Amino acid sequence: MVFNEPVEGIGDSTVVILGRRHAADYETEPDFIRCVGKHISSRDPSITVVGELDFVNSLYPWFEPRTAPLHPQDINRLLEQEPVAERMAELKTEYMIWIDGRTERGDSAGSMTCGIGPGGAGCFGFGTWSDDSNYEAVIWDFTDQAEVGRVNTTASGQSYMPAVVVPIPIIAPVQGTACDGIGDQLLEFLSSEY
Amino acid sequence: MSRSTISAPDLRWLLAAVFGLLLAGCGPAKVIVEGNFPPPLMAPLPMKLGIWYPEDFSGHEFFDQAKSRSDSDWLVQTGAAQVQMWDTLLAGMFVETVHMKGEPGPGQMNQLVDAVLIPEVDELQYAIPAHTNVKVYEIWMRYRFRLVTTGGDPITDWTMTAYGKTPTAFLQSDAAAVNLAAVMALRDAGANFATNFARVPEVKTFLDELHVEPLETGL
């Protein structure tokens, strides 16, 4: 299948970005989902991104971790229910984007000691750790009930925390970089201006 | 210059308040579960369901005793949230729901309904980072449901599980994380019940006898 770049906006239709939550050992972070949504709507204001919690609440219980559709074909079965079909029509959802992945803390090293006494308090030492992000987004075209795209992003970075009396964290923006990376790729699918 | 004075009765109240605060400081960390539970989006079943919440259910709580001096005791009260969630869910699942005046039983004067649902929390387990060294709070619940007549005669009973978890990364405190894990478990309980109620074999038979046809969702 060849990807055709969008030549016009999605009009009145909306996009919803949802995090996969059915894995046993991790959850895709809600703040990452919000970040991707903000990234898309800020770069192309003509795209309306429905909030994840609003969407899940308005379609309860069909998008809970236990019940959420795993394949685009499952949407058909959902739409057989009249109240669900009506709500989806109200929301005008054209694209449903599922994001799966997480940011994980990796190796850490260093040590720090903190103390408190009559003269004051303070810390001394040095700590460092790494963060790794790995996310995949799957785009479902709601109208055609088909998967139309799949993009992924990885990012990693080392954070440091030197402390001479006061700890000063120097945090690598790993999750933010992953958010920008996946957001930019999704814009190529959704936006005619990007 | 004005000076404030404390009378003897005021002093007693002040001492009592300070003593109370000290005692509270020694007591368990308490979480009263709070959350918003959306109504289910589904065609309601055309039956009149009675609801009876036993006291153990409407006042449900669980207590975790500290395993070491560095831990603290936890008291998590889920009863009010249970009632809120199940009231919202059942009101959306059935065309009419009625809270029973008394526990269904022989000679009990109750409203006329097709059947009465009695939920109970059969078992609850949980894991917090102090137990597992993983930064995830988890709650498992097993419910037992009884479906009875207004006279208390059993129609059927069955069990159902629910699970909720939340990572700590985006939360401020342990109490907020425990609360969110409990809310997620309650939402999961609602989703499990809503999608599987009509599939319980005895319930299906009962609905067939009532000529109630639930929509097959296939999920």
Side-chain angles (χ1 to χ4, degrees):
Chain A
M1 194 167 80
V2 178
F3 168 63
N4 297 316
E5 282 187 24
V7 291
E8 57 184 28
I10 59 172
D12 285 345
S13 304
T14 62
V15 175
V16 65
I17 303 171
L18 302 164
R20 281 287 183 203
R21 305 273 149 68
H22 61 279
D25 56 341
Y26 70 92
E27 287 197 335
T28 305
E29 304 91 339
D31 55 346
F32 183 79
I33 303 297
R34 277 194 294 274
C35 174
V36 176
K38 276 184 188 168
H39 184 92
I40 290 171
S41 53
S42 65
R43 299 292 168 93
D44 186 345
S46 69
I47 299 174
T48 305
V49 180
V50 180
E52 182 183 33
L53 190 60
D54 292 339
F55 183 85
V56 170
N57 279 348
S58 68
L59 284 150
Y60 182 80
W62 307 112
F63 284 84
E64 297 298 295
R66 162 189 302 274
T67 54
L70 294 172
H71 309 285
Q73 297 79 8
D74 294 340
I75 294 170
N76 242 341
R77 284 204 287 268
L78 267 180
L79 294 180
E80 281 172 9
Q81 299 187 63
E82 202 174 315
V84 177
E86 283 172 7
R87 184 64 51 86
M88 294 302 273
E90 280 170 29
L91 291 169
K92 297 177 182 170
T93 307
E94 176 73 22
Y95 292 105
M96 186 176 285
I97 298 167
W98 288 100
I99 297 184
D100 194 3
R102 63 175 162 168
T103 297
E104 198 176 10
R105 181 147 298 178
D107 299 334
S108 59
S111 67
M112 192 177 298
T113 52
C114 295
I116 186 164
C123 297
F124 184 78
F126 180 80
T128 180
W129 66 92
S130 66
D131 286 315
D132 298 296
S133 291
N134 193 353
Y135 295 95
E136 182 179 61
V138 180
I139 306 151
W140 291 358
D141 184 324
F142 207 80
T143 313
D144 296 339
Q145 291 159 26
E147 182 182 320
V148 293
R150 190 175 280 254
V151 297
N152 61 59
T153 189
T154 57
S156 60
Q158 195 80 19
S159 299
Y160 304 93
M161 178 119 73
V164 180
V165 183
V166 178
I168 302 166
I170 303 163
I171 309 289
V174 177
Q175 200 181 50
T177 305
C179 168
D180 293 346
I182 213 156
D184 286 344
Q185 292 182 75
L186 289 173
L187 276 164
E188 288 180 23
F189 273 92
L190 303 170
S191 175
S192 57
E193 298 167 11
Y194 203 77
Chain B
M1 185 175 136
S2 68
R3 296 176 69 187
S4 60
T5 56
I6 299 175
S7 63
D10 287 343
L11 188 63
R12 277 201 298 275
W13 280 113
L14 185 65
L15 285 171
V18 170
F19 188 63
L21 281 173
L22 286 172
L23 281 179
C26 298
K30 187 172 164 183
V31 177
I32 301 170
V33 176
E34 288 177 357
N36 291 316
F37 302 100
L41 185 68
M42 58 203 324
L45 289 171
M47 66 176 276
K48 192 173 178 180
L49 182 81
I51 305 166
W52 174 254
Y53 296 129
E55 268 182 39
D56 281 354
F57 183 82
S58 56
H60 182 263
E61 62 183 32
F62 65 94
F63 179 71
D64 174 43
Q65 194 162 20
K67 305 288 185 298
S68 68
R69 289 183 121 186
S70 59
D71 289 344
S72 60
D73 295 341
W74 281 89
L75 177 65
V76 182
Q77 298 182 331
T78 72
Q82 295 271 10
V83 169
Q84 186 192 345
M85 193 284 287
W86 287 102
D87 274 354
T88 308
L89 183 87
L90 297 172
M93 274 186 70
F94 299 92
V95 287
E96 193 174 351
T97 53
V98 179
H99 284 275
M100 296 286 99
K101 290 174 183 161
E103 184 172 3
Q108 176 70 45
M109 290 296 287
N110 252 327
Q111 304 94 317
L112 193 62
V113 292
D114 293 318
V116 181
L117 183 76
I118 306 174
E120 290 164 23
V121 179
D122 205 24
E123 191 179 346
L124 187 145
Q125 293 180 17
Y126 58 94
I128 59 175
H131 298 166
T132 59
N133 291 325
V134 179
K135 282 189 176 180
V136 174
Y137 292 78
E138 296 171 286
I139 290 182
W140 294 265
M141 281 194 280
R142 188 173 67 213
Y143 286 90
R144 176 170 293 280
F145 295 101
R146 286 186 288 140
L147 200 63
V148 301
T149 65
T150 47
D153 297 325
I155 297 170
T156 183
D157 67 291
W158 73 101
T159 58
M160 184 196 87
T161 56
Y163 171 72
K165 71 170 177 180
T166 184
T168 57
F170 62 102
L171 289 162
Q172 299 282 319
S173 66
D174 286 353
V178 169
N179 185 73
L180 190 53
V183 169
M184 294 308 290
L186 286 170
R187 286 182 69 118
D188 185 55
N192 196 351
F193 187 88
T195 51
N196 289 312
F197 172 73
R199 292 179 185 175
V200 176
E202 294 85 357
V203 172
K204 193 171 183 309
T205 307
F206 172 72
L207 294 177
D208 287 344
E209 286 167 7
L210 276 182
H211 305 292
V212 171
E213 283 187 28
L215 183 69
E216 184 58 58
T217 62
L219 292 171

